[in-house]
Amino acid sequence: MEASAGGKRAYSIIVPTYNERLNVALIVYLIFKHLPDVDFEIIIVDDGSPDGTQDIVKQLQQLYGEDRVLLRARPMKLGLGTAYLHGLKHASGEFVVIMDADLSHHPKYLPSFIRKQKETGADIVTGTRYVKNGGVHGWNLMRKLTSRGANVLAQTLLQPGASDLTGSFSKGYVFQMEMIVRATRKNYHIEEVPITFVDRVFGISKLGGSEIVGYLKGLVYLLLTT
């Protein structure tokens, strides 16, 4: 699909990666599969993965075209939130989609996000596990309780206007939480789409104690500044 005049796309899909060699080809394939008639670009922001992720992305560029799959690499692991910001600098789309490379955010939901935005004129459309037809799959009880507790804490302290702020506990999701909270304070129109969050199939989860501490620090920061 050709870009519109001026090289602009309708949608820029930003996918940060670090050691996602086993997942990146699958998620790119699924995005193209579920958005066959949509004008989009995929921006892969790779943080110097040592497992050969960038080599796979370069092969995908040969298959789909460098104008559809963009590799915007960084020299080292610098964090998920800053990866989104790096991707935004290179985005040409009128709308921007941010999603994980580990398939926890399945591309099959993208048409629902696009449809919801068109129907409502929303400024932001976000996925939620905490409404009817939403949920999680593959999590143990402790992770479910931790996520639910963190979300209740965020809802109580921040009143964000969205039901799900804790897709994970990384710096990237503090970024996501801050975006939603600040958009609510400025009276932007936010809509939600139910999703099922699936634990990664390939690779190792990057959730750890430091990410939980970072989330709590971000929560306090937003409480004091919004």
Side-chain angles (χ1 to χ4, degrees):
M1 180 176 291
E2 296 294 332
S4 59
K8 298 288 187 179
R9 295 283 180 185
Y11 299 92
S12 294
I13 303 173
I14 301 175
V15 183
T17 58
Y18 183 75
N19 286 348
E20 296 290 359
R21 178 178 60 85
L22 297 175
N23 290 317
V24 68
L26 181 55
I27 195 168
V28 168
Y29 162 75
L30 289 171
I31 291 171
F32 276 93
K33 175 184 177 182
H34 289 286
L35 299 177
D37 301 314
V38 175
D39 178 29
F40 67 87
E41 63 186 6
I42 303 173
I43 302 173
I44 307 292
V45 180
D46 185 72
D47 275 5
S49 297
D51 72 340
T53 296
Q54 291 186 33
D55 294 332
I56 301 297
V57 175
K58 290 173 183 177
Q59 294 179 41
L60 293 170
Q61 288 180 311
Q62 295 178 10
L63 179 63
Y64 294 105
E66 293 186 13
D67 61 326
R68 303 297 302 281
V69 178
L70 288 67
L71 176 60
R72 298 295 179 260
R74 303 193 297 177
M76 65 185 70
K77 191 174 182 181
L78 298 170
L80 188 57
T82 59
Y84 287 138
L85 295 176
H86 185 73
L88 285 169
K89 294 177 183 178
H90 299 280
S92 70
E94 181 180 1
F95 296 95
V96 173
V97 179
I98 60 175
M99 62 190 304
D100 285 355
D102 63 5
L103 300 174
S104 55
H105 303 149
H106 199 291
K108 69 182 180 181
Y109 296 110
L110 290 175
S112 297
F113 279 66
I114 292 172
R115 183 165 56 251
K116 174 69 76 171
Q117 193 285 321
K118 289 181 176 179
E119 291 173 351
T120 65
D123 299 300
I124 297 174
V125 179
T126 183
T128 177
R129 298 160 292 170
Y130 300 128
V131 298
K132 183 179 179 182
N133 297 323
V136 297
H137 179 75
W139 282 13
N140 60 33
L141 179 60
M142 180 57 66
R143 189 169 180 186
K144 288 180 180 178
L145 291 175
T146 301
S147 177
R148 175 66 82 168
N151 198 67
V152 169
L153 184 62
Q155 295 291 333
T156 302
L157 296 179
L158 301 177
Q159 300 180 353
S163 64
D164 190 352
L165 294 179
T166 57
S168 186
F169 287 102
S170 68
K171 185 176 180 181
Y173 289 91
V174 173
F175 164 83
Q176 179 183 340
M177 178 169 65
E178 180 172 359
M179 180 174 62
I180 295 293
V181 171
R182 293 194 183 280
T184 299
R185 302 293 188 266
K186 293 180 179 295
N187 295 317
Y188 284 102
H189 181 183
I190 300 173
E191 291 284 344
E192 295 183 316
V193 170
I195 63 171
T196 298
F197 191 99
V198 180
D199 201 12
R200 65 165 53 245
V201 177
F202 301 113
I204 300 172
S205 174
K206 302 174 180 70
L207 175 64
S210 62
E211 283 74 26
I212 296 175
V213 171
Y215 168 79
L216 294 174
K217 287 181 178 178
L219 193 65
V220 172
Y221 169 76
L222 290 175
L223 180 63
L224 296 175
T225 61
T226 61

